[in-house]
Amino acid sequence: MARSKSSFSKDSLKVVAIAALAGSAALASTTVLAFEPKGKVECIAPSDPGGGWDFTCRSVGTVLEELDLVPRSVQTVNMAGAGGGVAYAHTVSKRAGDEQLLVAASTATTTRLAQGQFPGMDADMVNWIGALGADYGVIAVAADSDYQNLNDLMDAIKEDPRAVKFAGGSAKGGWDHLKVLIAAQAAGVENLPRIPYLSYNNGGEAMTQVIGHHVDAFTGDITEAQGFMESGDLKVLAVLSDERLPGEFADIPTAKEQGIDAVGPNWRGFYMPADISDEAKAYWTESLDSLYDSQQWQDLMSANGLMPFHMSGDEFDTYVKEQIAEIKQLSTDIGLIQQ
């Protein structure tokens, strides 16, 4: 009888132990898989096809698929307007809680926020997920332009601030416009607000205007200009980086080596809507971290002129808020906004 009792106790303990292990495994599985995207993932590019935001969505979407970090393809949705303001307003007002929506962003986004160009909206109304590289600014002209270097261009503006018309893919007062003013200020140009700047929905459209000789010069980023450089239609007078870029861009002189101390990095990254779960935010933050570390992304960065630049989560959120404060001060100093 005692033996039977003892045997029953051991079997019972075994069953309890197995049940406990199963429960722990289920709990661990639930914790690990607290959020996973299901079905379609959407990436909003706040521009027409051909610009930097479009490049960000499509290239990141492709690598997310290759790394099996999304269940299906990532659909890029182009939503141009107001220098990113239309997409920002759409995300804030219509997509709160959407855990399968990424929105491409950059220094152009923080510039508009810094200048109050998204009326009634601020940086706290979205979740800043991460940055995956930096795209340096360039100032370029048509291949047959008389301007041979950045100093030629700046000398013309010094003589007459309205002598050179610039085209860019950001709205007036946006990051592309600001890069011209940063360079002009560093070159000693006065009457900065008088320099003509024409805004287009994306860099591709702006470069087409320059190549067609409707506008004198292009201000944008190296990744936008690459295709027109390779075709021989565009001549880059300067890249706004501390040092020359590597690889095929190594022949492009910096503004600094031409005596003009102007640097204009443009980070590439994403925000998401408000009211998403902590689990979803963690999933996308970790996924973008994995993407950045992958060989596929490193190769893509190298091929497209993106320089190393990576932040995510709270660190990136802090960086965005600090950059907005700095750009607000710079915009005030140059006279773009009034305090």
Side-chain angles (χ1 to χ4, degrees):
M1 188 74 179
R3 183 177 178 182
S4 175
K5 184 177 180 180
S6 173
S7 175
F8 176 77
S9 298
K10 288 179 180 179
D11 290 343
S12 299
L13 287 172
K14 186 182 294 184
V15 170
V16 170
I18 291 171
L21 286 171
S24 298
L27 180 61
S29 176
T30 302
T31 302
V32 171
L33 303 178
F35 172 83
E36 280 193 344
K38 295 179 174 61
K40 182 184 70 175
V41 172
E42 190 174 318
C43 185
I44 293 179
S47 64
D48 289 329
W53 287 323
D54 184 70
F55 164 82
T56 301
C57 270
R58 294 182 191 279
S59 57
V60 167
T62 297
V63 179
L64 285 173
E65 293 166 28
E66 290 176 358
L67 298 176
D68 292 326
L69 294 170
V70 289
R72 288 165 46 188
S73 62
V74 177
Q75 180 184 2
T76 295
V77 177
N78 294 95
M79 191 177 293
V86 171
Y88 201 88
H90 172 80
T91 303
V92 169
S93 65
K94 300 183 184 303
R95 304 297 289 271
D98 190 333
E99 298 181 337
Q100 302 202 171
L101 173 66
L102 299 170
V103 188
S106 63
T107 306
T109 313
T110 49
T111 297
R112 301 297 282 170
L113 286 165
Q115 295 171 348
Q117 297 297 325
F118 297 167
M121 294 178 286
D122 60 41
D124 292 322
M125 293 180 174
V126 299
N127 283 291
W128 300 92
I129 301 301
L132 299 170
D135 199 358
Y136 281 92
V138 295
I139 294 176
V141 294
D144 58 355
S145 170
D146 291 335
Y147 298 114
Q148 297 300 312
N149 54 57
L150 188 59
N151 280 301
D152 285 348
L153 195 71
M154 292 300 164
D155 287 345
I157 300 174
K158 287 179 186 177
E159 187 172 332
D160 176 7
R162 303 195 65 79
V164 179
K165 291 181 180 178
F166 288 88
S170 73
K172 188 171 184 180
W175 183 236
D176 286 343
H177 187 190
L178 204 58
K179 282 181 286 199
V180 171
L181 299 180
I182 291 170
Q185 185 182 52
V189 176
E190 298 179 355
N191 297 316
L192 297 176
R194 294 194 65 210
I195 298 173
Y197 174 81
L198 301 176
S199 170
Y200 294 90
N201 279 331
N202 60 71
E205 188 177 337
M207 281 181 284
T208 299
Q209 295 299 310
V210 173
I211 293 167
H213 301 95
H214 304 295
V215 187
D216 302 300
F218 168 72
T219 168
D221 294 320
I222 189 70
T223 55
E224 294 178 304
Q226 185 178 17
F228 287 92
M229 290 164 51
E230 290 172 350
S231 67
D233 293 313
L234 198 70
K235 175 170 58 181
V236 178
L237 301 182
V239 58
L240 304 182
S241 56
D242 286 303
E243 300 176 350
R244 289 200 181 199
L245 302 183
E248 64 185 290
F249 304 110
D251 291 336
I252 303 172
T254 66
K256 294 181 80 168
E257 70 186 74
Q258 297 177 68
I260 298 172
D261 190 6
V263 178
N266 184 10
W267 56 262
R268 299 287 181 183
F270 296 93
Y271 62 84
M272 291 185 69
D275 301 332
I276 61 173
S277 66
D278 290 341
E279 291 81 6
K281 185 175 180 180
Y283 178 87
W284 288 112
T285 299
E286 292 167 12
S287 291
L288 292 184
D289 287 344
S290 297
L291 179 144
Y292 185 83
D293 291 336
S294 71
Q295 190 60 50
Q296 291 96 317
W297 184 251
Q298 293 300 315
D299 290 345
L300 192 148
M301 284 178 59
S302 177
N304 290 277
L306 283 177
M307 297 295 104
F309 186 97
H310 179 52
M311 292 183 187
S312 61
D314 291 340
E315 181 187 19
F316 183 52
D317 182 82
T318 298
Y319 173 82
V320 165
K321 308 294 175 54
E322 290 176 349
Q323 187 179 58
I324 287 172
E326 291 170 0
I327 292 174
K328 183 176 181 180
Q329 185 60 55
L330 176 60
S331 299
T332 301
D333 293 343
I334 291 176
L336 283 174
I337 59 175
Q338 303 295 321
Q339 281 190 331

PDB file of all heavy atoms in Angstrom, residues 162-177:
ATOM      1  N   ARG A 162      20.358  87.307 -56.142  1.00  0.00           N
ATOM      2  CA  ARG A 162      19.322  86.701 -56.966  1.00  0.00           C
ATOM      3  C   ARG A 162      19.870  86.142 -58.287  1.00  0.00           C
ATOM      4  O   ARG A 162      19.112  85.764 -59.186  1.00  0.00           O
ATOM      5  CB  ARG A 162      18.216  87.725 -57.254  1.00  0.00           C
ATOM      6  CG  ARG A 162      17.595  88.299 -55.985  1.00  0.00           C
ATOM      7  CD  ARG A 162      16.301  89.023 -56.248  1.00  0.00           C
ATOM      8  NE  ARG A 162      15.253  88.116 -56.731  1.00  0.00           N
ATOM      9  CZ  ARG A 162      14.538  87.313 -55.956  1.00  0.00           C
ATOM     10  NH1 ARG A 162      14.747  87.288 -54.646  1.00  0.00           N
ATOM     11  NH2 ARG A 162      13.606  86.525 -56.469  1.00  0.00           N
ATOM     12  N   ALA A 163      21.197  86.071 -58.385  1.00  0.00           N
ATOM     13  CA  ALA A 163      21.821  85.648 -59.645  1.00  0.00           C
ATOM     14  C   ALA A 163      21.669  84.158 -59.917  1.00  0.00           C
ATOM     15  O   ALA A 163      21.712  83.724 -61.069  1.00  0.00           O
ATOM     16  CB  ALA A 163      23.305  86.018 -59.645  1.00  0.00           C
ATOM     17  N   VAL A 164      21.505  83.347 -58.867  1.00  0.00           N
ATOM     18  CA  VAL A 164      21.432  81.897 -59.026  1.00  0.00           C
ATOM     19  C   VAL A 164      20.123  81.389 -58.430  1.00  0.00           C
ATOM     20  O   VAL A 164      19.840  81.621 -57.255  1.00  0.00           O
ATOM     21  CB  VAL A 164      22.616  81.185 -58.341  1.00  0.00           C
ATOM     22  CG1 VAL A 164      22.508  79.672 -58.508  1.00  0.00           C
ATOM     23  CG2 VAL A 164      23.941  81.692 -58.893  1.00  0.00           C
ATOM     24  N   LYS A 165      19.339  80.688 -59.243  1.00  0.00           N
ATOM     25  CA  LYS A 165      18.097  80.082 -58.759  1.00  0.00           C
ATOM     26  C   LYS A 165      18.369  78.626 -58.400  1.00  0.00           C
ATOM     27  O   LYS A 165      18.906  77.874 -59.212  1.00  0.00           O
ATOM     28  CB  LYS A 165      17.006  80.157 -59.828  1.00  0.00           C
ATOM     29  CG  LYS A 165      16.490  81.555 -60.104  1.00  0.00           C
ATOM     30  CD  LYS A 165      15.391  81.512 -61.161  1.00  0.00           C
ATOM     31  CE  LYS A 165      14.874  82.921 -61.452  1.00  0.00           C
ATOM     32  NZ  LYS A 165      13.830  82.901 -62.518  1.00  0.00           N
ATOM     33  N   PHE A 166      17.977  78.247 -57.186  1.00  0.00           N
ATOM     34  CA  PHE A 166      18.182  76.876 -56.703  1.00  0.00           C
ATOM     35  C   PHE A 166      16.874  76.102 -56.728  1.00  0.00           C
ATOM     36  O   PHE A 166      15.801  76.647 -56.469  1.00  0.00           O
ATOM     37  CB  PHE A 166      18.727  76.893 -55.274  1.00  0.00           C
ATOM     38  CG  PHE A 166      20.158  77.349 -55.175  1.00  0.00           C
ATOM     39  CD1 PHE A 166      20.454  78.699 -55.042  1.00  0.00           C
ATOM     40  CD2 PHE A 166      21.200  76.437 -55.209  1.00  0.00           C
ATOM     41  CE1 PHE A 166      21.767  79.142 -54.944  1.00  0.00           C
ATOM     42  CE2 PHE A 166      22.518  76.868 -55.113  1.00  0.00           C
ATOM     43  CZ  PHE A 166      22.806  78.219 -54.985  1.00  0.00           C
ATOM     44  N   ALA A 167      16.975  74.805 -57.011  1.00  0.00           N
ATOM     45  CA  ALA A 167      15.819  73.903 -56.965  1.00  0.00           C
ATOM     46  C   ALA A 167      16.117  72.760 -56.007  1.00  0.00           C
ATOM     47  O   ALA A 167      17.234  72.239 -55.971  1.00  0.00           O
ATOM     48  CB  ALA A 167      15.517  73.343 -58.352  1.00  0.00           C
ATOM     49  N   GLY A 168      15.118  72.384 -55.210  1.00  0.00           N
ATOM     50  CA  GLY A 168      15.289  71.277 -54.280  1.00  0.00           C
ATOM     51  C   GLY A 168      13.987  70.536 -54.043  1.00  0.00           C
ATOM     52  O   GLY A 168      12.916  70.987 -54.454  1.00  0.00           O
ATOM     53  N   GLY A 169      14.105  69.404 -53.374  1.00  0.00           N
ATOM     54  CA  GLY A 169      12.935  68.567 -53.153  1.00  0.00           C
ATOM     55  C   GLY A 169      12.191  68.844 -51.865  1.00  0.00           C
ATOM     56  O   GLY A 169      11.172  68.220 -51.598  1.00  0.00           O
ATOM     57  N   SER A 170      12.685  69.758 -51.047  1.00  0.00           N
ATOM     58  CA  SER A 170      11.955  70.114 -49.830  1.00  0.00           C
ATOM     59  C   SER A 170      11.195  71.414 -50.057  1.00  0.00           C
ATOM     60  O   SER A 170      11.465  72.156 -51.005  1.00  0.00           O
ATOM     61  CB  SER A 170      12.919  70.292 -48.644  1.00  0.00           C
ATOM     62  OG  SER A 170      13.659  71.497 -48.769  1.00  0.00           O
ATOM     63  N   ALA A 171      10.256  71.703 -49.179  1.00  0.00           N
ATOM     64  CA  ALA A 171       9.510  72.954 -49.260  1.00  0.00           C
ATOM     65  C   ALA A 171      10.437  74.132 -48.966  1.00  0.00           C
ATOM     66  O   ALA A 171      11.543  73.965 -48.447  1.00  0.00           O
ATOM     67  CB  ALA A 171       8.352  72.925 -48.279  1.00  0.00           C
ATOM     68  N   LYS A 172      10.002  75.320 -49.297  1.00  0.00           N
ATOM     69  CA  LYS A 172      10.789  76.514 -49.007  1.00  0.00           C
ATOM     70  C   LYS A 172      11.013  76.614 -47.505  1.00  0.00           C
ATOM     71  O   LYS A 172      10.091  76.459 -46.708  1.00  0.00           O
ATOM     72  CB  LYS A 172      10.067  77.757 -49.515  1.00  0.00           C
ATOM     73  CG  LYS A 172      10.912  79.011 -49.416  1.00  0.00           C
ATOM     74  CD  LYS A 172      10.270  80.183 -50.129  1.00  0.00           C
ATOM     75  CE  LYS A 172      11.202  81.401 -50.080  1.00  0.00           C
ATOM     76  NZ  LYS A 172      10.608  82.566 -50.767  1.00  0.00           N
ATOM     77  N   GLY A 173      12.262  76.840 -47.127  1.00  0.00           N
ATOM     78  CA  GLY A 173      12.614  76.841 -45.721  1.00  0.00           C
ATOM     79  C   GLY A 173      12.951  75.469 -45.189  1.00  0.00           C
ATOM     80  O   GLY A 173      13.364  75.328 -44.041  1.00  0.00           O
ATOM     81  N   GLY A 174      12.783  74.416 -46.024  1.00  0.00           N
ATOM     82  CA  GLY A 174      13.085  73.053 -45.610  1.00  0.00           C
ATOM     83  C   GLY A 174      14.573  72.751 -45.685  1.00  0.00           C
ATOM     84  O   GLY A 174      15.400  73.619 -45.969  1.00  0.00           O
ATOM     85  N   TRP A 175      14.916  71.469 -45.475  1.00  0.00           N
ATOM     86  CA  TRP A 175      16.324  71.099 -45.339  1.00  0.00           C
ATOM     87  C   TRP A 175      17.137  71.378 -46.596  1.00  0.00           C
ATOM     88  O   TRP A 175      18.270  71.856 -46.514  1.00  0.00           O
ATOM     89  CB  TRP A 175      16.437  69.638 -44.923  1.00  0.00           C
ATOM     90  CG  TRP A 175      17.833  69.163 -44.681  1.00  0.00           C
ATOM     91  CD1 TRP A 175      18.457  68.119 -45.271  1.00  0.00           C
ATOM     92  CD2 TRP A 175      18.800  69.718 -43.764  1.00  0.00           C
ATOM     93  NE1 TRP A 175      19.737  67.975 -44.796  1.00  0.00           N
ATOM     94  CE2 TRP A 175      19.977  68.949 -43.873  1.00  0.00           C
ATOM     95  CE3 TRP A 175      18.777  70.794 -42.875  1.00  0.00           C
ATOM     96  CZ2 TRP A 175      21.119  69.207 -43.128  1.00  0.00           C
ATOM     97  CZ3 TRP A 175      19.924  71.062 -42.124  1.00  0.00           C
ATOM     98  CH2 TRP A 175      21.073  70.265 -42.252  1.00  0.00           C
ATOM     99  N   ASP A 176      16.593  71.096 -47.769  1.00  0.00           N
ATOM    100  CA  ASP A 176      17.347  71.384 -48.997  1.00  0.00           C
ATOM    101  C   ASP A 176      17.622  72.879 -49.119  1.00  0.00           C
ATOM    102  O   ASP A 176      18.726  73.294 -49.493  1.00  0.00           O
ATOM    103  CB  ASP A 176      16.568  70.889 -50.223  1.00  0.00           C
ATOM    104  CG  ASP A 176      16.603  69.373 -50.358  1.00  0.00           C
ATOM    105  OD1 ASP A 176      17.471  68.737 -49.729  1.00  0.00           O
ATOM    106  OD2 ASP A 176      15.759  68.825 -51.085  1.00  0.00           O
ATOM    107  N   HIS A 177      16.619  73.687 -48.840  1.00  0.00           N
ATOM    108  CA  HIS A 177      16.794  75.141 -48.875  1.00  0.00           C
ATOM    109  C   HIS A 177      17.818  75.577 -47.830  1.00  0.00           C
ATOM    110  O   HIS A 177      18.699  76.403 -48.097  1.00  0.00           O
ATOM    111  CB  HIS A 177      15.442  75.808 -48.606  1.00  0.00           C
ATOM    112  CG  HIS A 177      15.447  77.300 -48.772  1.00  0.00           C
ATOM    113  ND1 HIS A 177      14.383  78.080 -48.389  1.00  0.00           N
ATOM    114  CD2 HIS A 177      16.379  78.150 -49.268  1.00  0.00           C
ATOM    115  CE1 HIS A 177      14.654  79.352 -48.651  1.00  0.00           C
ATOM    116  NE2 HIS A 177      15.858  79.418 -49.184  1.00  0.00           N
TER     117      HIS A 177
END
